[in-house]
Amino acid sequence: QVQLQQWGAGLLKPSETLSLTCAVYGGSVSGDYWSWIRQSPGKGLEWIGEINHSGSTNYNPSLKSRVTISVDTSKNQFYLKVNSVTAADTAVFYCARVLRGIIPYYYYMDIWGKGTTVTVSS
Amino acid sequence: QSVLTQPPSVSAAPGQKVTISCSGSSSNIGNNYVSWYQQVPGTAPKLLIYDNNKRPSGIPDRFSASKSGTSATLGISGLQTGDEADYYCGTWETSLSALYVFGTGTKVTVL
């Protein structure tokens, strides 16, 4: 079955760039959508954005100016970059597989990575 | 601030039933399918319900869900201590900006 393994730097200084990788095992990054979600300490879930195998993306408007999601089909991986981080970006970040319609009247995340804790502190 | 509103907490004794509401609008729940996620503290969320009321393989039928208009409901019957977790609804939002939105989350406590 498909599993997601994620990793990236866990401690950043303000203004640095957050970079995370999510590797897809037991399946292919092609043919599906893939997303990033974050959860600030003690808070709820926040959808960051999504990408498909051809590189088509959708982003949360609240983060769009600072976020880039990309995919490398040759490595079966997808990525998250967040520029100019601040303490408000401290969170656990999750990658997930998305099952959705072309028009996303149905949309859900069925497989999740274990999460990566990112702390932004000077 | 989420556009999907859930009660902060619900509780019941083992064996009892709890229901969790998720209130939205015509730009989200009213025109799209709802999913539900369970998050045990310290772990990643897990898909519990998709397409309003379907359970993935391995999810017991103690978990059920429905949708009516711009609201959705998750029910957990035969409550077990292992059900203590946070529960989130989610759906696609098609207002000024298209994005996926999660509910505010509900903490389920087994008394």
Side-chain angles (χ1 to χ4, degrees):
Chain A
Q1 69 279 20
V2 176
Q3 294 184 330
L4 304 180
Q5 183 175 351
Q6 54 180 113
W7 64 87
L11 181 61
L12 297 172
K13 290 182 167 51
S15 80
E16 291 184 335
T17 296
L18 179 158
S19 294
L20 298 178
T21 298
C22 186
V24 180
Y25 295 102
S28 173
V29 75
S30 300
D32 284 309
Y33 276 77
W34 306 90
S35 66
W36 289 95
I37 300 100
R38 73 177 183 179
Q39 186 170 36
S40 301
K43 303 296 185 183
L45 302 169
E46 180 180 31
W47 182 83
I48 298 172
E50 63 172 1
I51 192 167
N52 68 5
H53 67 282
S54 65
S56 176
T57 55
N58 286 301
Y59 297 122
N60 188 321
S62 68
L63 296 165
K64 187 173 183 177
S65 63
R66 297 192 296 127
V67 168
T68 302
I69 298 175
S70 57
V71 64
D72 187 336
T73 55
S74 67
K75 293 184 176 181
N76 223 26
Q77 296 174 353
F78 62 105
Y79 311 94
L80 172 70
K81 288 190 185 299
V82 181
N83 298 324
S84 306
V85 298
T86 69
D89 293 308
T90 294
V92 177
F93 288 76
Y94 297 100
C95 58
R97 184 176 76 170
V98 174
L99 297 181
R100 54 165 280 172
I102 296 175
I103 299 174
Y105 66 94
Y106 76 87
Y107 190 114
Y108 53 96
M109 280 71 79
D110 69 330
I111 299 171
W112 294 66
K114 293 185 184 301
T116 300
T117 300
V118 177
T119 302
V120 180
S121 174
S122 56
Chain B
Q1 187 169 348
S2 177
V3 297
L4 303 181
T5 302
Q6 301 178 229
S9 63
V10 297
S11 61
Q16 298 298 304
K17 179 176 182 178
V18 295
T19 59
I20 300 170
S21 60
C22 176
S23 178
S25 68
S26 59
S27 64
N28 41 67
I29 292 177
N31 283 286
N32 297 299
Y33 286 174
V34 177
S35 50
W36 290 89
Y37 305 87
Q38 176 194 58
Q39 186 179 32
V40 174
T43 69
K46 178 172 77 173
L47 179 67
L48 211 56
I49 297 285
Y50 67 97
D51 290 358
N52 296 337
N53 55 18
K54 298 176 183 174
R55 285 176 286 105
S57 174
I59 301 299
D61 59 7
R62 300 187 299 104
F63 295 91
S64 63
S66 63
K67 189 188 99 166
S68 178
T70 59
S71 294
T73 302
L74 174 72
I76 310 173
S77 61
L79 206 59
Q80 301 177 359
T81 55
D83 297 332
E84 277 210 348
D86 295 316
Y87 293 81
Y88 295 90
C89 58
T91 190
W92 193 255
E93 166 68 45
T94 54
S95 60
L96 292 176
S97 301
L99 71 160
Y100 189 83
V101 290
F102 289 98
T104 51
T106 299
K107 170 68 176 177
V108 169
T109 300
V110 182
L111 300 173

